[in-house]
Amino acid sequence: MIVLTVGLLGSHCEGAISCKNENGDNVDWFILYKKPDGFNYFYIDSTDQNLKENNKDKPVNHQAGVLAHTLGPYFESSPDFGFIAYNDQTPSCNALTEYGHSKGVVMMDKENVVWLLHSTPKFPERDKSNNFYPDSGKRNAQIFMCVTLPSDKSAQIGQHLKDINAHIFKEHNPEKFKDSSTAPQPLPYDNDLWSAGGQKFKHFVKQISKESKDGDLYVTIADTLESNLYIQTWRSDPKDLNKRPLSKTNKGYKLDTIIKVGTAAGTWEHGSDHSKWCVSDSKDWMCVGDSNREPSQFERPGGALCINSKDVADAFKGITKDIAKDSKRTGSPQNPSIPVKKKGG
């Protein structure tokens, strides 16, 4: 695994690379949440911190949409630019369990680094703007978080990717990414990360352990942020008491499983949601992770990127409509005293 540092790169012909919105304009960061059984989504970014539905003429796989605009340099593969794409479920292989369950694209030019984390297997499937999104990604809900960072943050991202054992399946100009690896950091760890626009983020790398109190990414996040969490991950059966992970952390913070999401793009239950995210119930943090709350993943490396934004945290608490029945809180996160109707009753 290589660790990213600043290469001697020329200027991109259209200026420094950046996350983009659906009009192709630069944004400091965005979060995109695709609905299941379709390609529409809802979205929030640095210029408008209100969750909103996408333009129906530009679904997530559109060649002039948010992802295609952001991945423009990836499709161009110009000589003054470098990228790596990592995914444990590549276009040619369904599962590589010796790697972290992580997925993303890192792009870099002289000025900026764009880090796009996501939960979609086989993404990007191809390197053309009109066929980059895999058809297999249509079935389940998926999440994407993009952040634009100064180029001097590339080594920090590279160390993160090394420590989560990300599987790189496609790269361009790999010589631009110099290896500056240092001694491995003790796990788990977290570090602050500031975007090019000054937004505070924090990235986490979890411990590897068969014990959920150590190997569960969300235990690490909750104990570090000192907050209860609402958590959405892919799980086989949240109602099976024998298969549930811890409901409390080592420090006594509560971990609630989200089982229903309600958005402008529709309402769905967790069984059709392949995204991995969590939100603090009392602090201004929302995170996109790469690990599920399953025992098999406690023994795999993994991590998360979290944004410190009240608007984002409130928006994601607002779409959480139901949590697992074993939780002592039976209402919605916004109104805990108001019971939420459970499935089947």
Side-chain angles (χ1 to χ4, degrees), residues 39-341:
F39 294 111
N40 289 322
Y41 59 90
F42 67 100
Y43 169 92
I44 188 170
D45 69 24
S46 56
T47 65
D48 184 358
Q49 296 187 36
N50 294 291
L51 276 174
K52 53 188 177 293
E53 217 174 344
N54 67 298
N55 178 344
K56 295 297 181 61
D57 294 328
K58 292 185 177 181
V60 73
N61 58 347
H62 196 277
Q63 67 183 101
V66 172
L67 294 182
H69 282 312
T70 298
L71 292 171
Y74 178 93
F75 302 139
E76 294 169 11
S77 297
S78 66
D80 58 357
F81 163 84
F83 71 74
I84 59 172
Y86 60 96
N87 202 316
D88 67 314
Q89 297 167 281
T90 72
S92 61
C93 182
N94 278 331
L96 299 166
T97 57
E98 66 269 31
Y99 295 92
H101 195 43
S102 52
K103 300 167 176 63
V105 178
V106 181
M107 304 181 293
M108 184 174 142
D109 66 7
K110 184 177 180 180
E111 297 181 48
N112 287 339
V113 177
V114 170
W115 191 7
L116 177 66
L117 300 85
H118 63 87
S119 63
T120 308
K122 305 182 186 299
F123 179 94
E125 187 172 43
R126 298 179 184 88
D127 57 2
K128 301 296 182 184
S129 63
N130 63 350
N131 64 358
F132 67 96
Y133 200 91
D135 289 340
S136 59
K138 177 180 180 179
R139 178 178 178 181
N140 295 312
Q142 309 284 359
I143 197 163
F144 293 79
M145 176 185 276
C146 185
V147 58
T148 309
L149 299 153
S151 59
D152 63 3
K153 302 301 180 185
S154 59
Q156 195 170 339
I157 300 170
Q159 187 66 48
H160 177 102
L161 298 184
K162 181 176 181 179
D163 291 334
I164 64 172
N165 197 21
H167 176 249
I168 296 175
F169 74 94
K170 189 174 178 64
E171 59 189 9
H172 173 64
N173 284 340
E175 69 278 4
K176 303 295 186 183
F177 304 110
K178 308 298 183 182
D179 187 348
S180 65
S181 58
T182 59
Q185 296 192 53
L187 305 180
Y189 69 81
D190 64 274
N191 289 309
D192 291 341
L193 193 61
W194 296 86
S195 72
Q199 175 65 52
K200 184 178 181 179
F201 288 80
K202 185 183 287 287
H203 69 105
F204 288 83
V205 174
K206 78 176 190 72
Q207 194 172 351
I208 301 169
S209 172
K210 63 175 63 176
E211 301 295 332
S212 59
K213 66 184 180 67
D214 299 317
D216 186 342
L217 170 64
Y218 303 93
V219 170
T220 296
I221 293 173
D223 280 347
T224 302
L225 299 181
E226 299 183 334
S227 173
N228 303 322
L229 296 179
Y230 300 104
I231 305 165
Q232 158 58 48
T233 73
W234 181 268
R235 298 183 62 219
S236 57
D237 186 358
K239 299 179 178 63
D240 187 338
L241 291 172
N242 295 321
K243 294 183 179 179
R244 286 180 185 165
L246 292 175
S247 60
K248 285 190 176 181
T249 71
N250 303 317
K251 295 183 179 179
Y253 294 105
K254 207 165 189 315
L255 303 174
D256 285 332
T257 299
I258 298 167
I259 57 175
K260 183 180 289 185
V261 168
T263 76
T267 298
W268 59 86
E269 297 199 17
H270 101 290
S272 61
D273 197 329
H274 193 252
S275 66
K276 299 150 186 51
W277 59 272
C278 66
V279 61
S280 165
D281 75 340
S282 60
K283 297 187 177 180
D284 300 334
W285 288 100
M286 181 271 175
C287 309
V288 171
D290 58 20
S291 301
N292 298 313
R293 299 199 72 208
E294 293 282 356
S296 63
Q297 296 208 355
F298 299 158
E299 297 183 76
R300 293 177 67 178
L305 180 64
C306 306
I307 184 171
N308 185 219
S309 164
K310 185 178 189 308
D311 289 332
V312 173
D314 285 348
F316 276 81
K317 281 185 285 188
I319 65 172
T320 301
K321 300 305 180 186
D322 202 358
I323 55 180
K325 291 182 180 179
D326 63 335
S327 172
K328 291 182 180 179
R329 290 195 296 275
T330 57
S332 74
Q334 299 287 40
N335 297 287
S337 63
I338 301 176
V340 177
K341 184 179 180 181

